[in-house]
Amino acid sequence: MRALRILLIVVVILGGLFVIADRVAVHFAENEAADKVRSTEGLDATPDVSIKGFPFLTQVASGELDDVVVDIKDYEADTGTAGKTIRIDDLHADMKDVTFSGDYSSATAQTATGTALVSYDELLKNAATEPVDIGLGYTGKVVGLGDGGNGKIKVTLEVNGPAVDNQRVNVLSAVTVKNNTVQVHADNLPKLPGISLVEDRFRQASDFDQAIDQLPGGIKLDSVKAAADGVEIAVKGSNVKLAG
C-alpha cells in the first residue's frame, strides 16, 4: 500500500510539473506569435494571441495547433485610395488547424472566421460630407451616421436649397458587403415640403461605398450589420497566413 501511495504521489507531482511546463511553453509561444504578427503586419502595438487547447506540447509535437485566436486593436486597413486608411477598432480572428514551420518563422491557418468593428465616425469619412448637387437647385451632404435599428444605418443629411435652409433629414439605409467593400444604400428618399427630389441625383449624397482591404493574412469581408457603436463585419478566409 505504501508503494502504491508513493507511486500515486509521484504521478501527481509529474502531472503537475507537466501542466506547469505546458502552460509556460504556451505562454512563451503566444508572446512569440504576437511579436511575429506585429512585425509581419507592421502594427503599432502588439496584438493579443491566445493558443487554445490542452495540452499545448502535444500539439507542437504534431506540427499543428487546433485553435489560435488573434485580437488586434486599432488596425489601419487599406481603402484602395493612396494614403487613405480606415481604422478598425477591434479585429478578432479565430484561426483553425494552424500549421507552422520548424523554426516557427511562418504559420498558416486552414480556415479563419472573425469580426471587425468600424465606428460610425470612421465610416463617415468616406461619405458625402461636402455638399453635393442633388438637383433642382438643392445640395445635400451627410452629417451623421448611427444605428437605425433592425440592421439598418440611420443616415442624417443636411439639405439646402430654395425652400429649405440647413434642413436635416434622416433616411434608413441598408448596409451590405460586396468585393471587400461596405455599401450603404438608402431605402427611401426623404420627405421634404414642396420638394420632389430626383432619386439618382439624391443618391449621390445619401449612398456611398467604403472599401476595406488588405486585412491580416488575406482574410476577406463576408457580411455586415449595423450595431450600436458602428458596423459589425464578419470576416473569413482560408489558408490564412499568421506570419511569414
Side-chain angles (χ1 to χ4, degrees):
M1 290 296 293
R2 183 185 179 193
L4 179 59
R5 286 198 298 271
I6 293 174
L7 178 61
L8 289 175
I9 290 172
V10 170
V11 170
V12 170
I13 292 174
L14 291 177
L17 291 174
F18 175 78
V19 171
I20 293 172
D22 190 82
R23 294 301 88 191
V24 169
V26 74
H27 181 68
F28 175 80
E30 288 170 344
N31 289 338
E32 288 294 307
D35 288 339
K36 192 66 178 179
V37 172
R38 177 179 181 176
S39 174
T40 300
E41 298 298 333
L43 304 177
D44 292 332
T46 304
D48 290 328
V49 175
S50 178
I51 300 174
K52 306 296 184 180
F54 179 84
F56 166 70
L57 292 174
T58 58
Q59 294 183 68
V60 171
S62 71
E64 182 175 295
L65 303 178
D66 297 335
D67 190 0
V68 178
V69 176
V70 179
D71 286 290
I72 302 174
K73 300 290 186 182
D74 299 327
Y75 181 81
E76 296 291 336
D78 186 66
T79 63
T81 301
K84 186 175 182 181
T85 61
I86 184 168
R87 188 184 72 253
I88 298 175
D89 290 346
D90 294 289
L91 179 59
H92 171 88
D94 190 356
M95 314 287 191
K96 300 292 187 182
D97 302 322
V98 180
T99 56
F100 49 90
S101 62
D103 60 358
Y104 304 105
S105 61
S106 65
T108 303
Q110 183 174 330
T111 61
T113 57
T115 57
L117 177 66
V118 178
S119 71
Y120 288 119
D121 286 344
E122 195 69 13
L123 190 62
L124 183 62
K125 291 180 179 180
N126 209 45
T129 54
E130 295 297 326
V132 174
D133 180 11
I134 56 178
L136 305 175
Y138 291 91
T139 62
K141 66 177 181 178
V142 178
V143 294
L145 300 174
D147 182 13
N150 297 319
K152 302 288 186 178
I153 290 181
K154 181 179 71 175
V155 179
T156 302
L157 297 109
E158 181 180 283
V159 178
N160 285 279
V164 294
D165 184 29
N166 296 327
Q167 175 73 49
R168 292 200 173 190
V169 294
N170 295 321
V171 295
L172 290 179
S173 298
V175 56
T176 56
V177 162
K178 183 178 181 180
N179 297 329
N180 267 2
T181 298
V182 175
Q183 300 179 324
V184 179
H185 182 83
D187 290 347
N188 298 292
L189 298 182
K191 304 299 182 182
L192 293 173
I195 301 177
S196 176
L197 296 173
V198 179
E199 179 170 348
D200 289 344
R201 297 292 293 273
F202 172 77
R203 291 192 179 281
Q204 293 180 25
S206 66
D207 297 3
F208 63 95
D209 296 342
Q210 175 63 70
I212 302 177
D213 209 354
Q214 296 184 9
L215 296 180
I219 56 178
K220 304 293 184 181
L221 308 189
D222 184 39
S223 62
V224 63
K225 65 178 181 180
D229 301 324
V231 289
E232 292 181 351
I233 304 168
V235 299
K236 68 177 182 180
S238 57
N239 296 321
V240 175
K241 289 188 175 297
L242 279 77

